[in-house]
Amino acid sequence: MKRVRLATVVTGCALIPLLAPTVLVVIASLSAGEVMTFPPQGFTTHWYSEMFTNAAVWTALGNSLYVAGISVVVNVVCGVPAALALPTVGRYSRTLFTVLLSLGLSSPTIVTAFAYFDLYGQLGVRGSLTAVAVAVAVTCFPFMLWTVLAAVEDTDPNLVPAAATLGADPVEQFLFVRLPLLAPGIVTGALVVFVLSITDFVVSQVLTTIDNQTLPVFVYSGLRGAISPALGAVSAFFIAVVALAFAVVLRLGKVERFLFRS
C-alpha cells in the first residue's frame, strides 16, 4: 500500500507542471479583457463563439487534418510492407534496414525540415501542402514501422502454414489470417502517426506558407502581436482535438502493447 501511495503522489507531482500550462491557457481564454492575462479580467465565452465563426481557424484546422490524413496513408502504405519484409531478411540486414528506415526520427527535426525545404525548392513543390504532409510522414514513419513490426513478432508463425495446409492460397492467407492479426498494430501505428502529424510544428513551420498554415503554425503566428484571449480559445480548442485523438489511441489502439514491450 505504501508503494502504491508513493507512486500515486510522485505521479501527481509530475503531472502538475505538465498540466498547469494547459489549465492556465484554458482559464485565460475565458478572460473578458482584450489581452490574455491570468488571473482573467472577468469571464466570458465570447472568444469561443468568435473562434467558431473564424474562417481562418477552420482553414488551418483543415490543413492540419489534411497533413495528418496524408501522413497516415503514406505510413500505412509504406510501413506495413516494410514491417512484413524485415523479418524475412537476416538479423544483421534487418538491423541495418531498420536503422535506415528510422533515419527520419534519428536526425534533428529542424535539420530534416530545412533539408526538405532545400529539396522542395529544387523540385519546385515548395509551398505544397501535400509535400509538407510527405515530409511529416517521413519523420513519423518509425512509429508506424515499430508498431506493425511488433505486431508481426507477436503473431504465431505456424498460423499461416496451417492455413496453407487447409487449402488457403497466398492471397487468402494474407487477407484472412495475417491481416486480422496485424490489424491492432496497424491501427495503433496509424493513430499514433495521426496524433504526431496533426501536432507537428517544426516541419510545418519551415515548409508551410501564409496561405496553407497548419493550426499549430497559425497559433504560433498569433504570438507575434498582442496575445488576445481569442488565441487562447484557439489553443484550447486544438488541445481538445488532440486530447480526443489521443484518447482514441489509448482506448482503441492499446499503444502500450506495441511501444512498451519487454
Side-chain angles (χ1 to χ4, degrees), residues 6-99:
L6 179 61
T8 303
V9 172
V10 172
T11 302
C13 293
L15 287 176
I16 291 176
L18 295 176
L19 295 178
T22 301
V23 174
L24 292 178
V25 168
V26 173
I27 295 176
S29 68
L30 299 171
S31 175
E34 294 296 325
V35 179
M36 189 166 65
T37 58
F38 187 88
Q41 303 173 0
F43 289 91
T44 179
T45 59
H46 164 72
W47 304 111
Y48 284 89
S49 60
E50 182 179 283
M51 176 199 67
F52 284 117
T53 58
N54 189 337
V57 173
W58 292 105
T59 300
L61 177 60
N63 291 338
S64 292
L65 292 174
Y66 178 81
V67 168
I70 295 297
S71 178
V72 169
V73 171
V74 171
N75 275 273
V76 171
V77 171
C78 299
V80 175
L84 291 173
L86 283 175
T88 64
V89 301
R91 184 177 63 178
Y92 297 106
S93 298
R94 173 183 172 178
T95 302
L96 174 62
F97 284 118
T98 302
V99 171

Side-chain angles (χ1 to χ4, degrees), residues 149-199:
L149 192 59
V152 172
E153 294 175 349
D154 282 345
T155 59
D156 188 345
N158 297 319
L159 292 178
V160 174
T165 60
L166 294 174
D169 58 46
V171 175
E172 292 174 333
Q173 294 170 27
F174 177 77
L175 291 179
F176 302 113
V177 180
R178 300 205 71 180
L179 189 58
L181 294 173
L182 297 179
I186 297 174
V187 171
T188 299
L191 291 173
V192 171
V193 167
F194 179 83
V195 172
L196 294 175
S197 299
I198 199 174
T199 57

Side-chain angles (χ1 to χ4, degrees), residues 113-165:
F114 278 105
Y116 274 103
F117 182 82
D118 181 62
L119 175 63
Y120 288 165
Q122 297 181 29
L123 296 177
V125 295
R126 186 181 297 168
S128 169
L129 199 59
T130 302
V132 176
V134 172
V136 172
V138 172
T139 62
C140 299
F141 182 76
F143 294 96
M144 172 61 73
L145 179 67
W146 296 339
T147 52
V148 180
L149 192 59
V152 172
E153 294 175 349
D154 282 345
T155 59
D156 188 345
N158 297 319
L159 292 178
V160 174
T165 60

